[in-house]
Amino acid sequence: MNKVGIKEIAAKANVSTATVSYVLNGTRNVRPKTRERVVKVIEELNYRPNDIAKSLKSRRTNTIGVIAEDVTVFNVPEIIDGINEFADKHDLHIILTNLRLHRRVGHNYSNVDAYRKYAESAVSDLLSKQVEGIIYIGVHPRDVTGLINTYGKPIVYTYCYTDQNVSIQYNDEQASFDAMQYLVKQGHKRIAIISGLMDSTPSRLRFNGYYKAVTEFQLPFNPQYIKIGDWGLDSGYRLTKELLTLSEPPTAVLVMNDVMAVGTLRAADECGCQIPRDLSVVGFDNREFSDYLNPRITTMDLPLHEMGYSSMSMLTGLINEKEVKQEEQPLCRLLERESVAPPRQE
Amino acid sequence: MNKVGIKEIAAKANVSTATVSYVLNGTRNVRPKTRERVVKVIEELNYRPNDIAKSLKSRRTNTIGVIAEDVTVFNVPEIIDGINEFADKHDLHIILTNLRLHRRVGHNYSNVDAYRKYAESAVSDLLSKQVEGIIYIGVHPRDVTGLINTYGKPIVYTYCYTDQNVSIQYNDEQASFDAMQYLVKQGHKRIAIISGLMDSTPSRLRFNGYYKAVTEFQLPFNPQYIKIGDWGLDSGYRLTKELLTLSEPPTAVLVMNDVMAVGTLRAADECGCQIPRDLSVVGFDNREFSDYLNPRITTMDLPLHEMGYSSMSMLTGLINEKEVKQEEQPLCRLLERESVAPPRQE
DNA sequence: CTGTTAGCGCGTTCAG
DNA sequence: CTGAACGCGCTAACAG
């Protein structure tokens, strides 16, 4: 296998191992003639330096540990892609640990103790592997303070946060406000909201954005327009039906994720309510299918790639002990498609 | 940082470094009293052995390199999850390299030279990192012979293949045959097919399965029932319209992916053709959205997780130089949902 | 059986 | 340009 080492090269080229090392790294001048001889042998034997040995001496591994709570969740691959882009540019490698939380503990994230052992062993393994820093990717934005201890090794959280560490999160409140502003600009006033579970951070923040818009644009505030769902398709369906049967139904609805928006479409269809003519819909997440529905739904695209990239940028800052200041939160972007129109004249 | 090493432990516990090592690894008997003393110091200092140093001596890294052509493609995360499950069970670590092919070279996979440099550098880096084997995950099943050279290091391909190496692929032909058999059992005879591009391996294999079923079940073979799409929604839409305007339209259609099946649904809707009453539809891939459509479409689920798991199992076999025999191809599984019904009596 | 000493793995790098 | 120490943990050989 890869048995050829620096000393074979040295022997075959009639030089010392030191010289070979200098040639490999350009660390010092070597007489061109000697260098050529060495280079030739290196190529002939297809020599490849052993990073393990290298790391031992240099105390640098150029490796970042990435802990993903679950890679099969829709937002994670794109975050990883952003991490990879940064890693490529800066010659860093990624050791990926997948906690597989969905399969192991279901949706019971609130019970941190159920998976602390997995997280801790992941961290421990990564520290043993001498990673230079860690990125922790949650499956759902929430507080994970106290979940793990990296013993001083830099860590950046994304898609979740702690009260002590750097974390990268998109601006949820702004996103929801932007969506509302867009609807208002289209002429809507009676705007309903279907939220996710209210014990979740994104729900709270998005509701803040909604409320802020209601205040700022002086929209009618009608508690009947506020519906609390559970992120699932069925809740979107049920709550939309409730909205449509109000004596004064809304002309638009902001739905906090695309999955519930599917329920909204279905409910509207059954009620003979045409989207967007009779009801405008804005979703959240830009799930792939949101572009395959009929009508294609207008939705907020999450800056996932950017979050991954920023996490790495932040992390490398911490590793080099530069002072890092928490950056601006990445922003969501509204994707205008077919599910929004001006309200009908009454 | 993690400066504490085995010798500090040894010093603080008044033993030699050898003893500490024995305690850590249970490699030899140590008097309980001594052991306790050592263990206590280890815990106090929160000592964690340096895997880098360990690997240098043992020449084992317990690390597998995974090269994914693109982690953002729908099938890849689930394959990685399967890899992780195996890795967890066997105490292996994963170094992930994401080639980011979509972003870098678009869909132009046939031009291998456009991305060979990325693949080669990925392999080279992984070899330097002393991985014990490599798994290469394609984005689309195809022949990648000659793309890379691992210089004898074991490699397993999945979701693509070469003419020399072990590869894990699901049984595409069987899947398509099974889908047909299911339709036949429901009473269908006039069954159309909308394929993907015909230069792709899955298209060919799936067509084989279709053809085999036509022969075996003695179905009417009508060339007008054979439509060649391009995997995109629009082609599914257009070709379905063509099918529906035939003088003798099919009662069922096998669509080679769920994306085109969305087009089928849309076309049917526009033609006043009710699914499944007037036309049964079977899709392929079990994309997440296939469960959100109306009707929810019956589709073939790909054994992605299993493919990842098998790849690892195969790879560890190769690493331990056991003879590995190419296993049975993992099978797809039909997910019965709402888009298939018996044909109407005429 | 328990504990110690010392050399090794593979490159890097300083003194010569 | 070379010799040799070094990083950190493992382990063979040896001692009590």
Side-chain angles (χ1 to χ4, degrees):
Chain A
M1 213 79 35
N2 217 19
K3 297 211 171 216
V4 27
I6 204 172
K7 57 197 162 319
E8 278 101 310
I9 307 291
K12 285 227 160 77
N14 276 314
V15 292
S16 71
T17 60
T19 306
V20 178
S21 175
Y22 294 137
V23 169
L24 280 166
N25 303 303
T27 326
R28 240 173 62 177
N29 273 344
V30 177
R31 191 162 14 113
K33 238 181 150 177
T34 318
R35 179 208 309 292
E36 263 182 55
R37 215 165 61 235
V38 174
V39 168
K40 203 170 147 210
V41 178
I42 287 176
E43 282 172 358
E44 269 171 17
L45 301 192
N46 200 271
Y47 169 71
R48 218 178 289 285
N50 181 333
D51 275 355
I52 297 290
K54 225 160 154 161
S55 297
L56 183 57
K57 180 112 239 270
S58 68
R59 312 182 116 283
R60 302 219 53 193
T61 54
N62 292 319
T63 301
I64 302 296
V66 173
I67 302 178
E69 290 191 333
D70 200 310
V71 297
T72 64
V73 170
F74 81 97
N75 51 312
V76 176
E78 195 63 58
I79 295 177
I80 291 180
D81 197 66
I83 290 173
N84 284 313
E85 187 183 351
F86 189 96
D88 276 355
K89 280 194 192 153
H90 297 79
D91 245 308
L92 294 166
H93 294 254
I94 298 300
I95 297 187
L96 176 71
T97 308
N98 180 5
L99 259 29
R100 311 187 64 241
L101 248 45
H102 264 173
R103 286 229 167 67
R104 301 219 254 220
V105 303
H107 285 263
N108 194 17
Y109 307 131
S110 50
N111 182 10
V112 167
D113 293 316
Y115 52 91
R116 173 177 284 115
K117 58 172 184 273
Y118 299 122
E120 274 178 349
S121 112
V123 170
S124 177
D125 286 351
L126 290 175
L127 292 180
S128 285
K129 284 252 172 226
Q130 311 299 114
V131 297
E132 302 187 0
I134 294 178
I135 291 181
Y136 188 98
I137 309 174
V139 283
H140 201 70
R142 68 194 197 288
D143 189 340
V144 293
T145 301
L147 178 59
I148 51 177
N149 179 356
T150 64
Y151 302 95
K153 188 72 71 177
I155 182 165
V156 170
Y157 291 82
T158 186
Y159 233 79
C160 61
Y161 53 91
T162 75
D163 55 18
Q164 322 205 343
N165 303 93
V166 178
S167 74
I168 305 285
Q169 306 252 67
Y170 58 89
N171 192 328
D172 241 324
E173 183 172 326
Q174 184 69 45
S176 146
F177 182 84
D178 288 349
M180 289 294 287
Q181 185 167 42
Y182 172 74
L183 288 170
V184 169
K185 276 196 182 145
Q186 302 289 312
H188 292 279
K189 291 200 184 316
R190 302 203 308 275
I191 306 176
I193 187 163
I194 297 180
S195 87
L197 290 166
M198 265 307 169
D199 60 359
S200 102
T201 309
S203 291
R204 304 300 274 268
L205 292 173
R206 291 175 193 176
F207 188 79
N208 287 354
Y210 170 81
Y211 186 74
K212 196 174 145 210
V214 166
T215 308
E216 194 154 313
F217 301 123
Q218 303 183 21
L219 305 177
F221 180 75
N222 182 345
Q224 291 184 305
Y225 289 171
I226 300 169
K227 298 294 183 186
I228 302 191
D230 63 6
W231 303 116
L233 196 154
D234 289 342
S235 73
Y237 173 84
R238 179 172 42 81
L239 297 171
T240 301
K241 287 229 161 167
E242 289 182 19
L243 288 171
L244 292 175
T245 52
L246 290 176
S247 58
E248 195 172 45
T251 62
V253 56
L254 176 57
V255 188
M256 283 199 197
N257 75 6
D258 288 342
V259 173
M260 292 192 294
V262 174
T264 297
L265 259 49
R266 205 164 287 180
D269 188 45
E270 285 184 17
C271 297
C273 162
Q274 269 194 35
I275 292 174
R277 198 195 58 176
D278 305 318
L279 181 70
S280 287
V281 177
V282 175
F284 238 101
D285 291 351
N286 185 26
R287 297 293 285 275
E288 184 196 28
F289 59 79
S290 66
D291 200 38
Y292 295 142
L293 298 170
N294 195 6
R296 300 162 51 233
I297 56 183
T298 293
T299 186
M300 292 300 301
D301 182 47
L302 274 27
L304 301 170
H305 190 87
E306 188 182 349
M307 289 167 73
Y309 195 92
S310 296
S311 302
M312 280 293 277
S313 153
M314 206 65 109
L315 184 61
T316 52
L318 288 171
I319 290 170
N320 302 326
E321 310 216 46
K322 284 178 207 140
E323 292 298 311
V324 298
K325 44 183 177 302
Q326 191 83 9
E327 286 172 22
E328 290 285 300
Q329 293 187 323
L331 297 177
C332 298
R333 211 174 89 255
L334 188 78
L335 253 37
E336 297 187 45
R337 293 207 276 241
E338 304 169 348
S339 62
V340 173
R344 283 208 290 175
Q345 305 305 328
E346 328 219 348
Chain B
M1 211 75 39
N2 218 18
K3 299 213 171 219
V4 27
I6 204 174
K7 57 198 162 321
E8 279 101 310
I9 307 292
K12 286 227 162 77
N14 276 315
V15 293
S16 71
T17 62
T19 305
V20 178
S21 176
Y22 293 137
V23 169
L24 280 167
N25 304 300
T27 328
R28 237 177 64 176
N29 272 345
V30 176
R31 199 176 350 129
K33 237 181 156 176
T34 318
R35 176 207 312 292
E36 262 182 58
R37 215 166 60 235
V38 174
V39 168
K40 201 170 151 210
V41 177
I42 288 175
E43 282 172 358
E44 269 171 16
L45 300 193
N46 200 272
Y47 168 71
R48 219 176 288 287
N50 181 332
D51 275 354
I52 298 289
K54 225 161 155 161
S55 297
L56 184 58
K57 178 113 241 270
S58 66
R59 312 181 116 285
R60 303 219 53 196
T61 54
N62 293 320
T63 302
I64 301 296
V66 173
I67 301 177
E69 291 192 332
D70 199 310
V71 298
T72 64
V73 170
F74 81 96
N75 51 312
V76 176
E78 195 63 59
I79 294 178
I80 291 180
D81 197 68
I83 290 174
N84 283 315
E85 186 181 352
F86 189 96
D88 277 354
K89 278 194 192 152
H90 297 78
D91 245 307
L92 293 166
H93 294 254
I94 299 301
I95 296 186
L96 176 71
T97 307
N98 180 7
L99 260 26
R100 310 188 64 241
L101 248 45
H102 264 172
R103 287 228 166 69
R104 299 218 256 222
V105 303
H107 284 263
N108 194 17
Y109 307 130
S110 49
N111 182 11
V112 167
D113 293 314
Y115 51 91
R116 175 178 285 113
K117 57 172 184 272
Y118 299 122
E120 273 178 349
S121 112
V123 171
S124 178
D125 286 351
L126 290 175
L127 292 181
S128 284
K129 285 252 171 222
Q130 311 299 115
V131 298
E132 302 187 359
I134 293 179
I135 291 181
Y136 188 99
I137 309 175
V139 284
H140 202 71
R142 68 195 196 287
D143 189 340
V144 293
T145 302
L147 178 60
I148 52 177
N149 179 357
T150 63
Y151 302 94
K153 188 73 69 176
I155 183 167
V156 170
Y157 291 82
T158 186
Y159 233 78
C160 62
Y161 52 91
T162 74
D163 55 18
Q164 321 205 343
N165 303 92
V166 178
S167 75
I168 305 285
Q169 307 253 68
Y170 58 87
N171 193 328
D172 241 325
E173 182 172 329
Q174 184 69 46
S176 147
F177 182 86
D178 288 349
M180 289 295 286
Q181 184 168 43
Y182 172 73
L183 288 170
V184 168
K185 277 197 180 142
Q186 303 288 312
H188 292 279
K189 291 199 183 318
R190 302 203 308 275
I191 306 175
I193 185 162
I194 296 180
S195 88
L197 289 167
M198 263 309 170
D199 61 358
S200 101
T201 309
S203 291
R204 304 299 275 269
L205 293 172
R206 291 175 194 176
F207 188 79
N208 286 355
Y210 171 81
Y211 187 73
K212 195 174 147 208
V214 166
T215 307
E216 193 155 313
F217 301 123
Q218 302 182 21
L219 305 178
F221 180 74
N222 182 344
Q224 292 185 304
Y225 288 173
I226 300 169
K227 298 294 184 186
I228 301 192
D230 63 7
W231 302 115
L233 195 154
D234 290 342
S235 72
Y237 174 84
R238 179 172 41 82
L239 297 171
T240 302
K241 287 229 160 165
E242 288 182 20
L243 289 172
L244 292 175
T245 53
L246 290 175
S247 59
E248 196 172 45
T251 61
V253 56
L254 176 58
V255 188
M256 283 199 197
N257 75 6
D258 288 343
V259 173
M260 293 192 293
V262 174
T264 296
L265 259 49
R266 207 165 287 181
D269 190 45
E270 285 183 17
C271 297
C273 162
Q274 269 195 35
I275 291 174
R277 198 196 55 177
D278 306 317
L279 181 70
S280 287
V281 177
V282 175
F284 237 102
D285 292 350
N286 185 25
R287 297 294 284 276
E288 184 197 27
F289 60 80
S290 65
D291 200 38
Y292 295 142
L293 298 169
N294 194 9
R296 300 161 52 232
I297 55 183
T298 293
T299 186
M300 291 300 302
D301 182 47
L302 274 26
L304 300 171
H305 189 87
E306 187 182 349
M307 288 167 74
Y309 195 92
S310 295
S311 301
M312 281 292 278
S313 152
M314 206 65 106
L315 184 60
T316 51
L318 287 171
I319 290 169
N320 302 327
E321 310 213 47
K322 285 175 205 141
E323 293 297 311
V324 299
K325 44 183 177 302
Q326 191 82 11
E327 286 174 22
E328 290 286 299
Q329 293 189 321
L331 296 177
C332 297
R333 213 175 87 254
L334 188 78
L335 254 38
E336 296 188 46
R337 292 207 275 241
E338 303 170 349
S339 62
V340 173
R344 283 208 290 174
Q345 304 306 324
E346 328 219 348

